[in-house]
Amino acid sequence: MTRRLTFAANWKMHHGPLAARAFIDRFLELVPPREGRELWVFPPAASLHVVADAARSRADVKPGAQNVYWEPKGAFTGELSVPIAREAGARGGLVGHSERRHVFGETDEDTRRKVLALLDGGLTPLLCVGEKLAERDEGRTEDVVLRQLRAGLGGLDPERVSRVMIAYEPVWAIGTGRNATPRDAAAVHAVIRAELGRLGATGRSTILYGGSVNLGNALSLLAEEELDGVLVGGASLEADAWAELVGIGA
Ligand code: 13P
């Protein structure tokens, strides 16, 4: 059986509509659909529609929102609702990315509401969890990751837990050029997978690794069967390089 792999590009605050269009046109030209490979793109909200339009004929390419608010509509200046994200072509949304948690003060309770809103709206949440360096040094990685996981998925029935994707992104590895070793990453993935099982997940949940993933280290990370794919920032910003990365492995 072909191993299923998910490659997710988080563009963060890069690529407006023009650059997004140029990127996606080039990327689709370079990357044919491949069995068992799912390719998510998380552009800035203003570029979501452009990516979704360009990838309309590609079931393997899934646009997603980098962030959503949990209320479906109303007086919430500057926020993106799930129904609007969906209308713009989103198939899912990131929740609890470390920059949302640590730059914008998103709480565990916020992540729970956002996960719920995405599921209610028929979109796939990609819940991000990960410890800070001090927490790792204090041996608290598992505690932190499990707390974030339980909070983000609190009260969900097993069917809904099964629809959530998880990204393990150690905060100290994001944008720093430092990685968890493949073994360390796999060990945390195993802890997450066991907890998802306890929360009732059926089938194999998708758990991605993120944090300074690039062409030079992706293959050794993905050699770990625990990793179902990668969530990539910096190394996903250039179409040719990203096309090469999503094509790795036989
Ligand atoms: P980098 O790949 O730039 O370290 O970013 C990782 C990330 O935050 C993806 O969501």
Side-chain angles (χ1 to χ4, degrees):
M1 197 182 79
T2 317
R3 181 171 168 211
R4 296 191 60 78
L5 285 177
T6 298
F7 293 81
N10 175 10
W11 289 351
K12 308 190 179 183
M13 208 165 67
H14 300 280
H15 293 342
L18 290 177
R21 180 77 212 200
F23 179 110
I24 199 75
D25 284 348
R26 173 79 180 150
F27 179 73
L28 296 179
E29 198 179 292
L30 293 170
V31 180
R34 182 162 157 187
E35 204 198 328
R37 291 226 167 167
E38 196 165 284
L39 309 172
W40 283 84
V41 186
F42 295 90
S47 304
L48 196 46
H49 195 232
V50 168
V51 171
D53 265 4
R56 196 176 292 276
S57 64
R58 288 283 297 264
D60 59 321
V61 178
K62 299 187 175 181
Q66 291 179 14
N67 181 36
V68 292
Y69 190 54
W70 53 81
E71 291 292 341
K73 64 180 174 186
F76 303 104
T77 301
E79 293 294 323
L80 178 67
S81 72
V82 171
I84 292 174
R86 188 179 166 142
E87 189 179 330
R91 308 279 305 276
L94 296 180
V95 179
H97 188 277
S98 91
E99 287 141 27
R100 297 303 317 170
R101 292 179 192 265
H102 304 303
V103 182
F104 299 101
E106 192 162 302
T107 65
D108 284 342
E109 173 60 13
D110 293 343
T111 65
R112 191 187 65 78
R113 291 179 176 198
K114 291 179 181 194
V115 166
L116 204 57
L118 283 159
L119 289 168
D120 283 345
L123 301 189
T124 300
L126 174 46
L127 174 65
C128 306
V129 298
E131 81 286 4
K132 296 193 223 169
L133 186 57
E135 293 165 337
R136 167 160 288 247
D137 288 345
E138 290 160 12
R140 296 203 293 125
T141 297
E142 276 190 30
D143 289 352
V144 170
V145 164
L146 289 176
R147 190 204 77 227
Q148 292 173 337
L149 200 61
R150 289 174 187 142
L153 305 180
L156 294 184
D157 63 37
E159 187 273 329
R160 292 185 137 208
V161 173
S162 308
R163 282 165 50 201
V164 178
M165 301 196 299
I166 306 295
Y168 169 54
E169 298 202 301
V171 178
W172 49 271
I174 295 178
T176 58
R178 288 185 60 188
N179 284 110
T181 65
R183 276 194 154 195
D184 284 349
V188 179
H189 279 226
V191 168
I192 292 171
R193 200 175 298 286
E195 183 62 16
L196 290 172
R198 278 189 287 275
L199 293 170
T202 52
R204 184 179 172 98
S205 298
T206 299
I207 308 176
L208 311 181
Y209 172 77
S212 296
V213 176
N214 58 37
L215 257 177
N217 58 31
L219 208 52
S220 57
L221 284 161
L222 290 171
E224 293 289 340
E225 295 278 335
E226 266 298 338
L227 275 62
D228 299 302
V230 286
L231 174 59
V232 183
S236 74
L237 289 176
E238 203 277 310
D240 286 53
W242 181 236
E244 197 176 337
L245 204 153
V246 308
I248 62 170

